Amino acid sequence: MTPHDPKKKESYFDGIKQAARFMAFANRNGQALKARGLVETARTTLALANMELAKMDCRHHLQTRRIWEFDQVMVSLTQGKWFAARAMQSGDKADWSDALVQLRQTNAEAKSLHHALLSGSEEPLPISERPLAQRNSEILFAGDVPIVPPVNPIILLQGSDFEMGRQYARQVVEIFGKWVFARQAGRPFSEAEKLELSRWEAQMQQHAPEMIGFCQGWAAGAVEAGVPMSYEDVLNIWTGCRPPARDYFGLDGGLPDDLYPPACSGHAAWGRATRDGRLVCGSSGDHDCGYMATLVIYPESGYPFIYTPFSVTGDLPKIGPVYMMGHPGMNNQGLAYVHHGGAPKMIEAPQSWGYGIRLGTAVFHILRFARSAEEARQMEASFPIGDVGDFSGVGYPGGFWADEQGGFVTESRQEPEIIRTAGQMGETDFLLANNSALSRAAEAAAWLKAQRHNWDWDEHAGWYPKTLSFGTGLSAVGQEAQTQSLFAYIYLNSFGRNRYAFEQLNAGLGQIDADFMRRLYRTAGSLPEGDWKHVTQQWRKTGAWGEYASGHASNALVAVMQPERGEGGRYALCVGTAKRGLPPHSPTGATPIYGETNAFWEVRLASSPSALTAAARQTAEQDAAAARARLEKLNPQDAAGARLQALLDAAEADLARPMPVDGEAADYARAVRAYTRAQVRARQIVDALE
């Protein structure tokens, strides 16, 4: 029977339509859903195994073997994901068979490793080696599958907009290989897509015109490197070729293809909160770790700056296009871009949404031309509201900025304007952000108003849902149900991390420094009590979890910045977690990586590429000396000796690269990458033996 109430009747039929859409989606994408389930299970099992690995002393004779086994399974998982992505593009049954066979093998090996660690077995596992090799690139490949480099590569750019774009393309291909751009080169754009590109291009031309020349240079550099990439191909990476979203998450009455990951965190402290009164920041990007690089840019006009986009091609697994967004970044005026400031917020009224510039473009522009957090705020305010409903939550300007005088987080730029500053939620010269809006004024958001009875607010940690069920996402019935389930999923997790960050920063007042920020990300949360099946069931019913922390098993990168006006600014970055074995923040919140180092490299934003390179080398030499001194004290019979000596040999091999003399930006970039690898390998030794 159907309801008699007209509104209930409309909702009833809407639910029937949505259920039909879901069934059709499942039928069309059965293999993809199967592969996704295998990937998630493997990730979780490896994260749990990694927690057990972290409990082993580095001197235990079996740890080296178990880490090697873990990395072989990670290579297998990377291959399985790659094969699945290929099968999704081709639709070929043989490709799907390859992907599913690989992922099933990965799960079997991950389960065996986890069991061996839990049982205390000392028997080697029958896991075969996956040979790795370079293929006309700096990174490693397993067959034809590229492996994410465990030390984040640095790209140095200098000169005109066009020349810097050209340098960028050539250096990316040198590091990763031609495949990285070939995936997005030569796309046939429809007339409608070309029209949309021109509309987005007009906004870029008006609000960040320097990026036009950069995109043109990128296309030219790619062609020179052997990849036939057009200007339109590059522009699409920065803008996309779809019109702005009309409703929340860009669903337009359709279905999301996954639950949005409740990811990323940022912290900034200054003045009374820090040990020396200066600004210090800590950030993490929390997602499936992609092929990324850190950019150090010396433009002809504007200020030198450092920035880490989450991907060299502006997209991420599961999330899709992020338009060269990332974090953190800083310039030589002491300005820091800490974090995206809580996306998705979606507080501005939908009638104000539309064309504008993407967050990645806005960050590039502001870091290059702003001298302070106040100037950054004014620049953000001058941009159009933009594509607020973009599913990734990063399609429009509005972020977390700071300098030595203070900071702000933009939560809404219009109807109402919400600029969160220190003190509004009990902070003393510090700010924090995760993936939610914290300000009380955010209750003006239409999505929050629609279910206000189910939402509450905490004076230090912001908004959270009172109750929720995780029978949501693809299976949510109705547009409103989908929207609410996605926001609830994101906000509940972010609320826990907001509260953790506030408590840590507030307790550390007057003592916060770079080491404090590193410890913030090396401090583990906890898993709920019970076996994993029960934990997952309870989470899906209520969202219940253990203790949250900023450091967790889906940290794709962790960075610590100490911006300064002049040449003293420091930028440090670690790929993956800052400590091995951190627990996940949800049953699906684990993104392990191959060859994790848990160690940071550090560079200074010096006056020129040559000065930055010299400073990186000096730091590497100091780190290598410290590692050498500790290894000399190690008993030659110690089980850890061979593995740690191999790390020192790798560091010294990279240190053997001579400093360029009067070189081009690419020459210094190669040297910096060698010296930062040396830093990381040496610091792995020091961390292991401390």
Side-chain angles (χ1 to χ4, degrees), residues 261-265 284-288 310 319 327 434 497 521 550 552 554-558 585 591:
C264 303
S265 61
S284 70
D286 304 340
H287 48 260
D288 198 354
F310 290 157
I319 298 176
H327 61 248
N434 284 287
R497 291 182 291 130
Y521 284 98
S550 298
H552 49 77
S554 61
N555 291 153
L557 68 92
V558 178
H585 57 54
T591 54

mmCIF file with all atom_site columns, all heavy atoms in Angstrom, residues 261-265 284-288 310 319 327 434 497 521 550 552 554-558 585 591:
data_model
loop_
_atom_site.group_PDB
_atom_site.id
_atom_site.type_symbol
_atom_site.label_atom_id
_atom_site.label_alt_id
_atom_site.label_comp_id
_atom_site.label_asym_id
_atom_site.label_entity_id
_atom_site.label_seq_id
_atom_site.pdbx_PDB_ins_code
_atom_site.Cartn_x
_atom_site.Cartn_y
_atom_site.Cartn_z
_atom_site.occupancy
_atom_site.B_iso_or_equiv
_atom_site.pdbx_formal_charge
_atom_site.auth_seq_id
_atom_site.auth_comp_id
_atom_site.auth_asym_id
_atom_site.auth_atom_id
_atom_site.pdbx_PDB_model_num
ATOM 1   N N   . PRO A 1 261 ? 35.593 9.985  2.235  1.00 0.00 ? 261 PRO A N   1
ATOM 2   C CA  . PRO A 1 261 ? 36.505 9.701  3.347  1.00 0.00 ? 261 PRO A CA  1
ATOM 3   C C   . PRO A 1 261 ? 36.598 10.879 4.316  1.00 0.00 ? 261 PRO A C   1
ATOM 4   O O   . PRO A 1 261 ? 36.797 12.012 3.898  1.00 0.00 ? 261 PRO A O   1
ATOM 5   C CB  . PRO A 1 261 ? 37.855 9.475  2.647  1.00 0.00 ? 261 PRO A CB  1
ATOM 6   C CG  . PRO A 1 261 ? 37.734 10.219 1.358  1.00 0.00 ? 261 PRO A CG  1
ATOM 7   C CD  . PRO A 1 261 ? 36.296 10.165 0.956  1.00 0.00 ? 261 PRO A CD  1
ATOM 8   N N   . PRO A 1 262 ? 36.434 10.640 5.611  1.00 0.00 ? 262 PRO A N   1
ATOM 9   C CA  . PRO A 1 262 ? 36.541 11.729 6.589  1.00 0.00 ? 262 PRO A CA  1
ATOM 10  C C   . PRO A 1 262 ? 38.004 12.013 6.862  1.00 0.00 ? 262 PRO A C   1
ATOM 11  O O   . PRO A 1 262 ? 38.584 11.520 7.815  1.00 0.00 ? 262 PRO A O   1
ATOM 12  C CB  . PRO A 1 262 ? 35.834 11.159 7.820  1.00 0.00 ? 262 PRO A CB  1
ATOM 13  C CG  . PRO A 1 262 ? 36.086 9.690  7.722  1.00 0.00 ? 262 PRO A CG  1
ATOM 14  C CD  . PRO A 1 262 ? 36.146 9.359  6.253  1.00 0.00 ? 262 PRO A CD  1
ATOM 15  N N   . ALA A 1 263 ? 38.632 12.798 6.006  1.00 0.00 ? 263 ALA A N   1
ATOM 16  C CA  . ALA A 1 263 ? 40.084 12.811 5.969  1.00 0.00 ? 263 ALA A CA  1
ATOM 17  C C   . ALA A 1 263 ? 40.670 14.205 6.136  1.00 0.00 ? 263 ALA A C   1
ATOM 18  O O   . ALA A 1 263 ? 39.988 15.200 5.943  1.00 0.00 ? 263 ALA A O   1
ATOM 19  C CB  . ALA A 1 263 ? 40.551 12.208 4.654  1.00 0.00 ? 263 ALA A CB  1
ATOM 20  N N   . CYS A 1 264 ? 41.959 14.235 6.465  1.00 0.00 ? 264 CYS A N   1
ATOM 21  C CA  . CYS A 1 264 ? 42.823 15.419 6.532  1.00 0.00 ? 264 CYS A CA  1
ATOM 22  C C   . CYS A 1 264 ? 42.653 16.202 7.830  1.00 0.00 ? 264 CYS A C   1
ATOM 23  O O   . CYS A 1 264 ? 41.560 16.334 8.370  1.00 0.00 ? 264 CYS A O   1
ATOM 24  C CB  . CYS A 1 264 ? 42.614 16.362 5.347  1.00 0.00 ? 264 CYS A CB  1
ATOM 25  S SG  . CYS A 1 264 ? 42.872 15.603 3.746  1.00 0.00 ? 264 CYS A SG  1
ATOM 26  N N   . SER A 1 265 ? 43.773 16.743 8.304  1.00 0.00 ? 265 SER A N   1
ATOM 27  C CA  . SER A 1 265 ? 43.742 17.569 9.509  1.00 0.00 ? 265 SER A CA  1
ATOM 28  C C   . SER A 1 265 ? 44.810 18.648 9.418  1.00 0.00 ? 265 SER A C   1
ATOM 29  O O   . SER A 1 265 ? 45.800 18.494 8.704  1.00 0.00 ? 265 SER A O   1
ATOM 30  C CB  . SER A 1 265 ? 43.966 16.718 10.771 1.00 0.00 ? 265 SER A CB  1
ATOM 31  O OG  . SER A 1 265 ? 45.232 16.093 10.736 1.00 0.00 ? 265 SER A OG  1
ATOM 32  N N   . SER A 1 284 ? 48.112 16.921 7.863  1.00 0.00 ? 284 SER A N   1
ATOM 33  C CA  . SER A 1 284 ? 48.150 15.607 7.221  1.00 0.00 ? 284 SER A CA  1
ATOM 34  C C   . SER A 1 284 ? 47.107 15.559 6.119  1.00 0.00 ? 284 SER A C   1
ATOM 35  O O   . SER A 1 284 ? 46.037 16.148 6.227  1.00 0.00 ? 284 SER A O   1
ATOM 36  C CB  . SER A 1 284 ? 47.882 14.478 8.230  1.00 0.00 ? 284 SER A CB  1
ATOM 37  O OG  . SER A 1 284 ? 46.536 14.494 8.660  1.00 0.00 ? 284 SER A OG  1
ATOM 38  N N   . GLY A 1 285 ? 47.472 14.874 5.031  1.00 0.00 ? 285 GLY A N   1
ATOM 39  C CA  . GLY A 1 285 ? 46.506 14.506 4.009  1.00 0.00 ? 285 GLY A CA  1
ATOM 40  C C   . GLY A 1 285 ? 46.149 13.055 4.248  1.00 0.00 ? 285 GLY A C   1
ATOM 41  O O   . GLY A 1 285 ? 47.033 12.200 4.304  1.00 0.00 ? 285 GLY A O   1
ATOM 42  N N   . ASP A 1 286 ? 44.871 12.766 4.431  1.00 0.00 ? 286 ASP A N   1
ATOM 43  C CA  . ASP A 1 286 ? 44.435 11.431 4.833  1.00 0.00 ? 286 ASP A CA  1
ATOM 44  C C   . ASP A 1 286 ? 43.595 10.818 3.718  1.00 0.00 ? 286 ASP A C   1
ATOM 45  O O   . ASP A 1 286 ? 42.397 11.110 3.597  1.00 0.00 ? 286 ASP A O   1
ATOM 46  C CB  . ASP A 1 286 ? 43.634 11.503 6.128  1.00 0.00 ? 286 ASP A CB  1
ATOM 47  C CG  . ASP A 1 286 ? 44.406 12.179 7.257  1.00 0.00 ? 286 ASP A CG  1
ATOM 48  O OD1 . ASP A 1 286 ? 45.637 12.239 7.162  1.00 0.00 ? 286 ASP A OD1 1
ATOM 49  O OD2 . ASP A 1 286 ? 43.769 12.631 8.217  1.00 0.00 ? 286 ASP A OD2 1
ATOM 50  N N   . HIS A 1 287 ? 44.220 9.971  2.921  1.00 0.00 ? 287 HIS A N   1
ATOM 51  C CA  . HIS A 1 287 ? 43.560 9.389  1.768  1.00 0.00 ? 287 HIS A CA  1
ATOM 52  C C   . HIS A 1 287 ? 44.448 8.275  1.230  1.00 0.00 ? 287 HIS A C   1
ATOM 53  O O   . HIS A 1 287 ? 45.522 8.016  1.779  1.00 0.00 ? 287 HIS A O   1
ATOM 54  C CB  . HIS A 1 287 ? 43.330 10.457 0.682  1.00 0.00 ? 287 HIS A CB  1
ATOM 55  C CG  . HIS A 1 287 ? 44.545 11.280 0.393  1.00 0.00 ? 287 HIS A CG  1
ATOM 56  N ND1 . HIS A 1 287 ? 44.722 12.543 0.907  1.00 0.00 ? 287 HIS A ND1 1
ATOM 57  C CD2 . HIS A 1 287 ? 45.674 11.018 -0.308 1.00 0.00 ? 287 HIS A CD2 1
ATOM 58  C CE1 . HIS A 1 287 ? 45.894 13.021 0.510  1.00 0.00 ? 287 HIS A CE1 1
ATOM 59  N NE2 . HIS A 1 287 ? 46.487 12.118 -0.225 1.00 0.00 ? 287 HIS A NE2 1
ATOM 60  N N   . ASP A 1 288 ? 44.017 7.643  0.186  1.00 0.00 ? 288 ASP A N   1
ATOM 61  C CA  . ASP A 1 288 ? 44.847 6.640  -0.472 1.00 0.00 ? 288 ASP A CA  1
ATOM 62  C C   . ASP A 1 288 ? 46.031 7.356  -1.112 1.00 0.00 ? 288 ASP A C   1
ATOM 63  O O   . ASP A 1 288 ? 45.858 8.194  -1.990 1.00 0.00 ? 288 ASP A O   1
ATOM 64  C CB  . ASP A 1 288 ? 44.017 5.912  -1.534 1.00 0.00 ? 288 ASP A CB  1
ATOM 65  C CG  . ASP A 1 288 ? 44.642 4.593  -1.946 1.00 0.00 ? 288 ASP A CG  1
ATOM 66  O OD1 . ASP A 1 288 ? 45.763 4.303  -1.501 1.00 0.00 ? 288 ASP A OD1 1
ATOM 67  O OD2 . ASP A 1 288 ? 44.000 3.865  -2.716 1.00 0.00 ? 288 ASP A OD2 1
ATOM 68  N N   . PHE A 1 310 ? 48.195 16.927 -3.665 1.00 0.00 ? 310 PHE A N   1
ATOM 69  C CA  . PHE A 1 310 ? 48.032 15.519 -3.323 1.00 0.00 ? 310 PHE A CA  1
ATOM 70  C C   . PHE A 1 310 ? 48.342 14.587 -4.486 1.00 0.00 ? 310 PHE A C   1
ATOM 71  O O   . PHE A 1 310 ? 48.477 13.378 -4.288 1.00 0.00 ? 310 PHE A O   1
ATOM 72  C CB  . PHE A 1 310 ? 46.605 15.263 -2.840 1.00 0.00 ? 310 PHE A CB  1
ATOM 73  C CG  . PHE A 1 310 ? 46.302 15.871 -1.495 1.00 0.00 ? 310 PHE A CG  1
ATOM 74  C CD1 . PHE A 1 310 ? 44.997 16.144 -1.119 1.00 0.00 ? 310 PHE A CD1 1
ATOM 75  C CD2 . PHE A 1 310 ? 47.318 16.171 -0.596 1.00 0.00 ? 310 PHE A CD2 1
ATOM 76  C CE1 . PHE A 1 310 ? 44.711 16.687 0.118  1.00 0.00 ? 310 PHE A CE1 1
ATOM 77  C CE2 . PHE A 1 310 ? 47.041 16.719 0.644  1.00 0.00 ? 310 PHE A CE2 1
ATOM 78  C CZ  . PHE A 1 310 ? 45.729 16.976 1.005  1.00 0.00 ? 310 PHE A CZ  1
ATOM 79  N N   . ILE A 1 319 ? 38.331 9.411  -4.763 1.00 0.00 ? 319 ILE A N   1
ATOM 80  C CA  . ILE A 1 319 ? 37.791 10.769 -4.696 1.00 0.00 ? 319 ILE A CA  1
ATOM 81  C C   . ILE A 1 319 ? 37.603 11.354 -6.083 1.00 0.00 ? 319 ILE A C   1
ATOM 82  O O   . ILE A 1 319 ? 36.619 12.040 -6.358 1.00 0.00 ? 319 ILE A O   1
ATOM 83  C CB  . ILE A 1 319 ? 38.714 11.674 -3.845 1.00 0.00 ? 319 ILE A CB  1
ATOM 84  C CG1 . ILE A 1 319 ? 38.779 11.142 -2.415 1.00 0.00 ? 319 ILE A CG1 1
ATOM 85  C CG2 . ILE A 1 319 ? 38.221 13.119 -3.861 1.00 0.00 ? 319 ILE A CG2 1
ATOM 86  C CD1 . ILE A 1 319 ? 39.735 11.894 -1.522 1.00 0.00 ? 319 ILE A CD1 1
ATOM 87  N N   . HIS A 1 327 ? 47.888 20.195 0.550  1.00 0.00 ? 327 HIS A N   1
ATOM 88  C CA  . HIS A 1 327 ? 48.382 20.994 1.666  1.00 0.00 ? 327 HIS A CA  1
ATOM 89  C C   . HIS A 1 327 ? 49.516 20.220 2.329  1.00 0.00 ? 327 HIS A C   1
ATOM 90  O O   . HIS A 1 327 ? 49.628 19.013 2.146  1.00 0.00 ? 327 HIS A O   1
ATOM 91  C CB  . HIS A 1 327 ? 47.268 21.347 2.675  1.00 0.00 ? 327 HIS A CB  1
ATOM 92  C CG  . HIS A 1 327 ? 46.600 20.192 3.342  1.00 0.00 ? 327 HIS A CG  1
ATOM 93  N ND1 . HIS A 1 327 ? 45.295 19.852 3.102  1.00 0.00 ? 327 HIS A ND1 1
ATOM 94  C CD2 . HIS A 1 327 ? 47.052 19.288 4.235  1.00 0.00 ? 327 HIS A CD2 1
ATOM 95  C CE1 . HIS A 1 327 ? 44.966 18.809 3.828  1.00 0.00 ? 327 HIS A CE1 1
ATOM 96  N NE2 . HIS A 1 327 ? 46.021 18.437 4.517  1.00 0.00 ? 327 HIS A NE2 1
ATOM 97  N N   . ASN A 1 434 ? 39.552 19.850 10.777 1.00 0.00 ? 434 ASN A N   1
ATOM 98  C CA  . ASN A 1 434 ? 39.517 18.519 10.188 1.00 0.00 ? 434 ASN A CA  1
ATOM 99  C C   . ASN A 1 434 ? 38.553 18.586 8.999  1.00 0.00 ? 434 ASN A C   1
ATOM 100 O O   . ASN A 1 434 ? 38.654 19.482 8.193  1.00 0.00 ? 434 ASN A O   1
ATOM 101 C CB  . ASN A 1 434 ? 39.120 17.484 11.238 1.00 0.00 ? 434 ASN A CB  1
ATOM 102 C CG  . ASN A 1 434 ? 40.273 17.173 12.187 1.00 0.00 ? 434 ASN A CG  1
ATOM 103 O OD1 . ASN A 1 434 ? 41.226 16.504 11.820 1.00 0.00 ? 434 ASN A OD1 1
ATOM 104 N ND2 . ASN A 1 434 ? 40.212 17.674 13.413 1.00 0.00 ? 434 ASN A ND2 1
ATOM 105 N N   . ARG A 1 497 ? 38.253 13.806 16.058 1.00 0.00 ? 497 ARG A N   1
ATOM 106 C CA  . ARG A 1 497 ? 39.605 14.330 15.837 1.00 0.00 ? 497 ARG A CA  1
ATOM 107 C C   . ARG A 1 497 ? 39.709 15.804 16.220 1.00 0.00 ? 497 ARG A C   1
ATOM 108 O O   . ARG A 1 497 ? 40.758 16.272 16.659 1.00 0.00 ? 497 ARG A O   1
ATOM 109 C CB  . ARG A 1 497 ? 40.020 14.088 14.387 1.00 0.00 ? 497 ARG A CB  1
ATOM 110 C CG  . ARG A 1 497 ? 40.239 12.601 14.110 1.00 0.00 ? 497 ARG A CG  1
ATOM 111 C CD  . ARG A 1 497 ? 40.708 12.319 12.702 1.00 0.00 ? 497 ARG A CD  1
ATOM 112 N NE  . ARG A 1 497 ? 39.691 12.572 11.707 1.00 0.00 ? 497 ARG A NE  1
ATOM 113 C CZ  . ARG A 1 497 ? 39.863 13.297 10.608 1.00 0.00 ? 497 ARG A CZ  1
ATOM 114 N NH1 . ARG A 1 497 ? 41.035 13.862 10.357 1.00 0.00 ? 497 ARG A NH1 1
ATOM 115 N NH2 . ARG A 1 497 ? 38.889 13.463 9.742  1.00 0.00 ? 497 ARG A NH2 1
ATOM 116 N N   . TYR A 1 521 ? 51.242 13.698 15.637 1.00 0.00 ? 521 TYR A N   1
ATOM 117 C CA  . TYR A 1 521 ? 50.925 12.707 14.609 1.00 0.00 ? 521 TYR A CA  1
ATOM 118 C C   . TYR A 1 521 ? 51.541 11.342 14.887 1.00 0.00 ? 521 TYR A C   1
ATOM 119 O O   . TYR A 1 521 ? 51.267 10.390 14.156 1.00 0.00 ? 521 TYR A O   1
ATOM 120 C CB  . TYR A 1 521 ? 51.375 13.218 13.235 1.00 0.00 ? 521 TYR A CB  1
ATOM 121 C CG  . TYR A 1 521 ? 50.440 14.257 12.688 1.00 0.00 ? 521 TYR A CG  1
ATOM 122 C CD1 . TYR A 1 521 ? 50.716 15.624 12.814 1.00 0.00 ? 521 TYR A CD1 1
ATOM 123 C CD2 . TYR A 1 521 ? 49.251 13.888 12.066 1.00 0.00 ? 521 TYR A CD2 1
ATOM 124 C CE1 . TYR A 1 521 ? 49.839 16.577 12.314 1.00 0.00 ? 521 TYR A CE1 1
ATOM 125 C CE2 . TYR A 1 521 ? 48.378 14.834 11.569 1.00 0.00 ? 521 TYR A CE2 1
ATOM 126 C CZ  . TYR A 1 521 ? 48.675 16.177 11.697 1.00 0.00 ? 521 TYR A CZ  1
ATOM 127 O OH  . TYR A 1 521 ? 47.804 17.115 11.212 1.00 0.00 ? 521 TYR A OH  1
ATOM 128 N N   . SER A 1 550 ? 44.960 12.506 15.525 1.00 0.00 ? 550 SER A N   1
ATOM 129 C CA  . SER A 1 550 ? 45.326 13.058 14.218 1.00 0.00 ? 550 SER A CA  1
ATOM 130 C C   . SER A 1 550 ? 46.172 12.075 13.427 1.00 0.00 ? 550 SER A C   1
ATOM 131 O O   . SER A 1 550 ? 46.116 12.040 12.193 1.00 0.00 ? 550 SER A O   1
ATOM 132 C CB  . SER A 1 550 ? 46.092 14.374 14.395 1.00 0.00 ? 550 SER A CB  1
ATOM 133 O OG  . SER A 1 550 ? 45.290 15.340 15.039 1.00 0.00 ? 550 SER A OG  1
ATOM 134 N N   . HIS A 1 552 ? 46.832 8.405  12.240 1.00 0.00 ? 552 HIS A N   1
ATOM 135 C CA  . HIS A 1 552 ? 46.070 7.167  12.082 1.00 0.00 ? 552 HIS A CA  1
ATOM 136 C C   . HIS A 1 552 ? 46.483 6.495  10.778 1.00 0.00 ? 552 HIS A C   1
ATOM 137 O O   . HIS A 1 552 ? 47.295 7.036  10.010 1.00 0.00 ? 552 HIS A O   1
ATOM 138 C CB  . HIS A 1 552 ? 44.567 7.439  12.114 1.00 0.00 ? 552 HIS A CB  1
ATOM 139 C CG  . HIS A 1 552 ? 44.128 8.550  11.213 1.00 0.00 ? 552 HIS A CG  1
ATOM 140 N ND1 . HIS A 1 552 ? 44.005 8.413  9.855  1.00 0.00 ? 552 HIS A ND1 1
ATOM 141 C CD2 . HIS A 1 552 ? 43.809 9.838  11.484 1.00 0.00 ? 552 HIS A CD2 1
ATOM 142 C CE1 . HIS A 1 552 ? 43.614 9.556  9.321  1.00 0.00 ? 552 HIS A CE1 1
ATOM 143 N NE2 . HIS A 1 552 ? 43.490 10.448 10.289 1.00 0.00 ? 552 HIS A NE2 1
ATOM 144 N N   . SER A 1 554 ? 45.366 6.119  7.880  1.00 0.00 ? 554 SER A N   1
ATOM 145 C CA  . SER A 1 554 ? 45.153 6.650  6.529  1.00 0.00 ? 554 SER A CA  1
ATOM 146 C C   . SER A 1 554 ? 45.873 7.975  6.311  1.00 0.00 ? 554 SER A C   1
ATOM 147 O O   . SER A 1 554 ? 45.541 8.711  5.383  1.00 0.00 ? 554 SER A O   1
ATOM 148 C CB  . SER A 1 554 ? 43.652 6.801  6.217  1.00 0.00 ? 554 SER A CB  1
ATOM 149 O OG  . SER A 1 554 ? 43.034 7.697  7.093  1.00 0.00 ? 554 SER A OG  1
ATOM 150 N N   . ASN A 1 555 ? 46.867 8.288  7.131  1.00 0.00 ? 555 ASN A N   1
ATOM 151 C CA  . ASN A 1 555 ? 47.730 9.440  6.834  1.00 0.00 ? 555 ASN A CA  1
ATOM 152 C C   . ASN A 1 555 ? 48.537 9.129  5.576  1.00 0.00 ? 555 ASN A C   1
ATOM 153 O O   . ASN A 1 555 ? 49.401 8.263  5.567  1.00 0.00 ? 555 ASN A O   1
ATOM 154 C CB  . ASN A 1 555 ? 48.712 9.711  7.975  1.00 0.00 ? 555 ASN A CB  1
ATOM 155 C CG  . ASN A 1 555 ? 48.074 10.227 9.251  1.00 0.00 ? 555 ASN A CG  1
ATOM 156 O OD1 . ASN A 1 555 ? 48.602 10.028 10.329 1.00 0.00 ? 555 ASN A OD1 1
ATOM 157 N ND2 . ASN A 1 555 ? 46.929 10.884 9.159  1.00 0.00 ? 555 ASN A ND2 1
ATOM 158 N N   . ALA A 1 556 ? 48.270 9.861  4.495  1.00 0.00 ? 556 ALA A N   1
ATOM 159 C CA  . ALA A 1 556 ? 49.031 9.686  3.257  1.00 0.00 ? 556 ALA A CA  1
ATOM 160 C C   . ALA A 1 556 ? 50.300 10.528 3.278  1.00 0.00 ? 556 ALA A C   1
ATOM 161 O O   . ALA A 1 556 ? 51.285 10.198 2.626  1.00 0.00 ? 556 ALA A O   1
ATOM 162 C CB  . ALA A 1 556 ? 48.180 10.053 2.050  1.00 0.00 ? 556 ALA A CB  1
ATOM 163 N N   . LEU A 1 557 ? 50.247 11.629 4.004  1.00 0.00 ? 557 LEU A N   1
ATOM 164 C CA  . LEU A 1 557 ? 51.420 12.465 4.222  1.00 0.00 ? 557 LEU A CA  1
ATOM 165 C C   . LEU A 1 557 ? 51.232 13.215 5.526  1.00 0.00 ? 557 LEU A C   1
ATOM 166 O O   . LEU A 1 557 ? 50.111 13.494 5.945  1.00 0.00 ? 557 LEU A O   1
ATOM 167 C CB  . LEU A 1 557 ? 51.638 13.455 3.074  1.00 0.00 ? 557 LEU A CB  1
ATOM 168 C CG  . LEU A 1 557 ? 50.625 14.589 2.897  1.00 0.00 ? 557 LEU A CG  1
ATOM 169 C CD1 . LEU A 1 557 ? 51.060 15.851 3.671  1.00 0.00 ? 557 LEU A CD1 1
ATOM 170 C CD2 . LEU A 1 557 ? 50.437 14.930 1.445  1.00 0.00 ? 557 LEU A CD2 1
ATOM 171 N N   . VAL A 1 558 ? 52.336 13.503 6.191  1.00 0.00 ? 558 VAL A N   1
ATOM 172 C CA  . VAL A 1 558 ? 52.339 14.348 7.386  1.00 0.00 ? 558 VAL A CA  1
ATOM 173 C C   . VAL A 1 558 ? 53.415 15.402 7.174  1.00 0.00 ? 558 VAL A C   1
ATOM 174 O O   . VAL A 1 558 ? 54.541 15.075 6.775  1.00 0.00 ? 558 VAL A O   1
ATOM 175 C CB  . VAL A 1 558 ? 52.626 13.541 8.665  1.00 0.00 ? 558 VAL A CB  1
ATOM 176 C CG1 . VAL A 1 558 ? 52.678 14.459 9.877  1.00 0.00 ? 558 VAL A CG1 1
ATOM 177 C CG2 . VAL A 1 558 ? 51.576 12.449 8.860  1.00 0.00 ? 558 VAL A CG2 1
ATOM 178 N N   . HIS A 1 585 ? 41.049 4.836  11.786 1.00 0.00 ? 585 HIS A N   1
ATOM 179 C CA  . HIS A 1 585 ? 40.024 5.635  12.455 1.00 0.00 ? 585 HIS A CA  1
ATOM 180 C C   . HIS A 1 585 ? 38.614 5.149  12.139 1.00 0.00 ? 585 HIS A C   1
ATOM 181 O O   . HIS A 1 585 ? 37.630 5.751  12.563 1.00 0.00 ? 585 HIS A O   1
ATOM 182 C CB  . HIS A 1 585 ? 40.166 7.115  12.098 1.00 0.00 ? 585 HIS A CB  1
ATOM 183 C CG  . HIS A 1 585 ? 40.097 7.404  10.627 1.00 0.00 ? 585 HIS A CG  1
ATOM 184 N ND1 . HIS A 1 585 ? 39.062 7.002  9.831  1.00 0.00 ? 585 HIS A ND1 1
ATOM 185 C CD2 . HIS A 1 585 ? 40.951 8.063  9.816  1.00 0.00 ? 585 HIS A CD2 1
ATOM 186 C CE1 . HIS A 1 585 ? 39.269 7.407  8.587  1.00 0.00 ? 585 HIS A CE1 1
ATOM 187 N NE2 . HIS A 1 585 ? 40.416 8.042  8.549  1.00 0.00 ? 585 HIS A NE2 1
ATOM 188 N N   . THR A 1 591 ? 45.003 3.010  4.772  1.00 0.00 ? 591 THR A N   1
ATOM 189 C CA  . THR A 1 591 ? 45.614 3.096  3.442  1.00 0.00 ? 591 THR A CA  1
ATOM 190 C C   . THR A 1 591 ? 47.118 2.842  3.579  1.00 0.00 ? 591 THR A C   1
ATOM 191 O O   . THR A 1 591 ? 47.926 3.759  3.467  1.00 0.00 ? 591 THR A O   1
ATOM 192 C CB  . THR A 1 591 ? 45.359 4.469  2.795  1.00 0.00 ? 591 THR A CB  1
ATOM 193 O OG1 . THR A 1 591 ? 45.797 5.512  3.683  1.00 0.00 ? 591 THR A OG1 1
ATOM 194 C CG2 . THR A 1 591 ? 43.881 4.674  2.503  1.00 0.00 ? 591 THR A CG2 1
#
